[in-house]
């Protein structure tokens, strides 16, 4: 659960390089703990801070996992728990950055005109198939519902 890591210096250098001309134009924050300075100054206080952040993040992630099978926005809550962990732990920051990068890439691919055209064609074909199946059902059975409704 150590927030300080050797990855911190290497990634900070990459963030500076990415913000240079020709890079992504968006500087990434330095990896590591975002705890207030007075908490970082005391090792026992910082350790208890990390334990608290871990427990809160774990509770949110567990709630998100439960929401995958129960009603609720499971993945959104899981990523929220990861964001809580990312305020303190380098490993969570790396995972969250990777996830953001993959989501951005997927969004860019979805905006490709060829992909959009294919998605529109597939959606239209699916709607036509559903309309034909509903038409066959109505032709064969009429407007009778498949379940009984007692009044």
């Amino acid at each position: 659960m150590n927030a300080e890591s050797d990855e911190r210096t290497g990634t900070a250098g990459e963030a500076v390089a990415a913000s240079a001309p020709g890079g992504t134009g968006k500087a990434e924050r330095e990896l590591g703990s975002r705890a207030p300075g007075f908490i970082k100054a005391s090792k026992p206080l910082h350790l208890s801070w990390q334990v608290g952040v871990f427990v809160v993040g774990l509770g949110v992630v567990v709630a998100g996992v439960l929401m995958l099978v129960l009603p609720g926005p499971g993945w959104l809550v899981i990523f929220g728990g990861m964001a809580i962990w990312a305020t303190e732990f380098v490993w969570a920051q790396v995972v969250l950055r990777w996830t953001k990068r993959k989501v951005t890439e997927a969004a860019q691919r979805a905006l490709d005109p060829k992909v959009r055209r294919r998605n529109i064609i597939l959606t239209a074909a699916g709607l036509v198939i559903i309309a034909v199946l509903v038409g066959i059902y109505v032709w064969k059975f009429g407007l009778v519902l498949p379940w009984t409704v007692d009044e």
Side-chain angles (χ1 to χ4, degrees), residues 7 19 24 27 33-34 39 56 67 85 88 90 96 115 124 136 142:
E7 294 178 27
S19 64
T24 60
S33 176
R34 298 204 194 349
I39 290 178
V56 170
M67 286 183 199
W85 279 338
E88 196 59 34
V90 173
L96 210 54
V115 174
I136 291 171

Side-chain angles (χ1 to χ4, degrees), residues 14-27:
E14 293 169 10
V16 171
S19 64
T24 60
K26 182 178 172 184

Side-chain angles (χ1 to χ4, degrees), residues 130-147:
I130 290 172
V132 167
L133 291 174
V134 168
I136 291 171
Y137 178 84
V138 169
W139 174 67
K140 189 165 185 161
F141 298 107
L143 288 175
V144 177
L145 298 175
W147 57 86

